[in-house]
Amino acid sequence: MGGLISCMSGRDGRSPSASPAPPAAKRRSSASSRRSGAKAAEIDEQALAAAAALVLGQRGAGGFDRSASVRYAAKRQQQGPPLPRSSSTRPRSLADPELQPQHLLAKDLNTKDLETNIIVLVHGGGFGAWCWYKTMSLLEDSGFKVNAIDLTGSGIHCSDTNKISSISEYAEPLTSYLKGLGDAEKVILVAHDFGGACISHAMEMFPSKVAKAVFLCATMLTNGHSALDMFQQMDTNGMLQKAQEFVYSNGKDRPPTAINIDRALLRDLLFNQSPSKDVSLASVSIRPIPFAPVMEKLTLTEENYGSVRRFFVETTEDNAIPLSHQQSMCVANPPEKVLRLKGSDHAPFFSRPQALHKALVEIATLPPVQAS
C-alpha cells in the first residue's frame, strides 16, 4: 500500500511537502513542460486516488489481512524460472491509454433511448468492485448508470470467505439488488471470470429483470455443470495449478474452504498485459475465493436462463482462461454474439479499458429483439 500511495505523491517518489519550492524564475521556465503532461495524467491520477481511497477503507474495515509485501517476499525468491508470459509483442497498456473526456467513446450517445441504461458490473473470483474503476468512469461519462457490486466475502464485504457454503450465498448481494428493482426495470449484467456463474444463477432467478448478459472471459456454464468442471478441463501449462493455494479452515481432512492466488504469480497468471500500478492495486486488494460455490453445479433452464440474451467477450492474451477454452465454452453454449479484445490479458478492465468500453457500448446499444 505504501508503494501505491507513493505513486500519487510525486513523480520522484517524494511528497510535495518534502521538496523546497523552486525560485519564481525556475517555476516560470518549467511551467510549460509541466502543463503539457498534466492534462494527460489528470483522469488517471484521479481514478488511482479513488481506488487507493477504497483500498484504505477496506484495510480499515478489519476482518482480513491485505499486506502481502512481507509475507510473499521470501516466496518470490524461492520461485524457479519465471512462468511464460504472453507471446505478444504489444507493449503493456501503451496502446490503450486513458482518453481525455472530450475524446471518450460514445460521448454523443443518448442512453435514455436504450432498452436500459443501467449496467451492473460483477467481479470475478478474488476480485471486488474496485477492479472496475476505469470501466465505471468511462461508462458513466458516456451516460450510463453503473453499479459495481461486491459479492459476499469480496471487496469491502465483511463476511468470512471460508464460511460461504453456496453460490446463492456468494451471489446474494447481486440477487438482492435485482430483487429490489422495479417491475419494469431491467439491467445489463457484465460478469468477469467466476462472476459468470453468479450472473447465470441470477439470470435463472430473475430473467425478466436482465435485458442482456455479458460474459467477459467468464465462466459461461451449461446446465448441471460447475466452475470446477470447467477449470479442470483447461490447459494452462500448469500455471493455474502453481498459483493456487488451498485454504482448509475446517481441517485438512475436510474439503478446502477457499483458494488463494500466490501473489508472486499474480502478474503472470492474471495481469501479463496490465499496467504495474493496477497490478499493485490488485496485490493488496484480492481476497480468497470461496471454494463451495466453485464446486456447485448450476441448475439452468431454457425458460429462465435461456430467455436472456447472452454475449461473450474474448481476451486473446489470457493466461487464466486461455482463448481456446473461451471458444470451447461458446461452442458448447452459443451466445448471441462474440466480441474479441485483442491484446487483453485476463483483466481487460486494466489492460484494455477503452476496447472493453467500446464492446460494452456496442452491446448496450443493440436494439431489443422483436417478438415473433
Side-chain angles (χ1 to χ4, degrees):
M1 189 62 210
L4 187 63
I5 294 174
S6 69
C7 289
M8 298 179 291
S9 302
R11 297 202 178 274
D12 61 353
R14 295 175 298 176
S15 67
S17 61
S19 301
K26 189 175 180 180
R27 286 202 301 270
R28 286 194 297 270
S29 65
S30 61
S32 59
S33 60
R34 291 201 309 270
R35 194 180 301 114
S36 63
K39 285 188 177 180
E42 184 177 357
I43 293 179
D44 192 57
E45 290 296 321
Q46 290 176 351
L48 184 57
L54 176 59
V55 173
L56 284 170
Q58 290 172 337
R59 292 187 67 177
F64 47 88
D65 175 21
R66 293 184 177 278
S67 179
S69 58
V70 176
R71 287 186 290 118
Y72 289 91
K75 200 162 196 176
R76 280 193 290 269
Q77 296 173 1
Q78 296 170 7
Q79 294 291 338
L83 290 170
R85 295 198 182 189
S86 166
S87 59
S88 172
T89 57
R90 173 183 176 273
R92 181 176 295 126
S93 82
L94 295 182
D96 195 45
E98 291 292 330
L99 297 182
Q100 296 299 309
Q102 64 269 26
H103 298 147
L104 284 171
L105 298 165
K107 64 177 182 178
D108 297 325
L109 175 67
N110 185 357
T111 59
K112 294 181 180 179
D113 295 336
L114 302 178
E115 180 182 12
T116 179
N117 65 350
I118 305 173
I119 297 181
V120 180
L121 305 173
V122 182
H123 62 81
F127 289 80
W130 51 266
C131 72
W132 298 106
Y133 76 96
K134 294 179 183 178
T135 303
M136 290 182 68
S137 177
L138 292 170
L139 288 172
E140 287 172 348
D141 284 334
S142 294
F144 290 95
K145 298 177 182 178
V146 187
N147 292 289
I149 290 179
D150 277 324
L151 299 174
T152 305
S154 305
I156 61 173
H157 196 287
C158 61
S159 292
D160 182 354
T161 305
N162 293 290
K163 296 181 180 179
I164 298 172
S165 59
S166 66
I167 198 164
S168 60
E169 183 180 358
Y170 183 53
E172 192 274 334
L174 172 61
T175 54
S176 291
Y177 171 84
L178 294 175
K179 185 177 181 180
L181 292 174
D183 293 339
E185 282 189 292
K186 288 190 173 186
V187 303
I188 297 173
L189 295 180
V190 180
H192 171 243
D193 186 77
F194 182 52
C198 297
I199 68 166
S200 297
H201 171 74
M203 291 156 63
E204 180 66 26
M205 291 183 66
F206 302 102
S208 64
K209 295 186 177 182
V210 183
K212 296 163 184 164
V214 183
F215 292 78
L216 176 61
C217 52
T219 49
M220 189 170 66
L221 306 175
T222 55
N223 179 50
H225 288 85
S226 67
L228 183 63
D229 296 334
M230 186 206 77
F231 289 124
Q232 287 178 334
Q233 296 171 7
M234 290 192 322
D235 179 14
T236 60
N237 295 320
M239 187 179 297
L240 186 62
Q241 290 73 20
K242 290 178 182 178
Q244 290 177 343
E245 299 175 341
F246 289 99
V247 179
Y248 297 85
S249 67
N250 295 328
K252 286 291 185 73
D253 58 334
R254 304 291 300 277
T257 53
I259 307 169
N260 271 319
I261 301 297
D262 186 345
R263 261 62 168 184
L265 302 179
L266 276 179
R267 184 185 292 276
D268 292 303
L269 180 65
L270 304 176
F271 309 119
N272 50 295
Q273 296 293 318
S274 295
S276 295
K277 65 180 182 183
D278 292 320
V279 181
S280 298
L281 172 64
S283 69
V284 297
S285 303
I286 281 183
R287 294 178 64 181
I289 305 165
F291 193 64
V294 175
M295 293 192 299
E296 186 172 336
K297 298 183 183 297
L298 299 184
T299 299
L300 305 173
T301 64
E302 189 62 29
E303 294 76 17
N304 294 336
Y305 168 85
S307 67
V308 180
R309 300 173 71 185
R310 285 181 293 111
F311 301 84
F312 196 95
V313 181
E314 298 175 343
T315 45
T316 62
E317 304 296 332
D318 197 324
N319 286 341
I321 303 181
L323 178 61
S324 59
H325 197 79
Q326 297 177 42
Q327 294 171 333
S328 295
M329 286 191 287
C330 292
V331 170
N333 190 14
E336 179 177 324
K337 186 174 183 178
V338 177
L339 296 87
R340 174 172 292 187
L341 302 183
K342 294 182 180 180
S344 175
D345 55 22
H346 191 59
F349 33 74
F350 290 158
S351 62
R352 295 285 283 155
Q354 300 293 345
L356 172 58
H357 174 69
K358 182 179 179 180
L360 295 180
V361 170
E362 179 180 340
I363 293 170
T365 54
L366 290 174
V369 175
Q370 299 298 323
S372 56

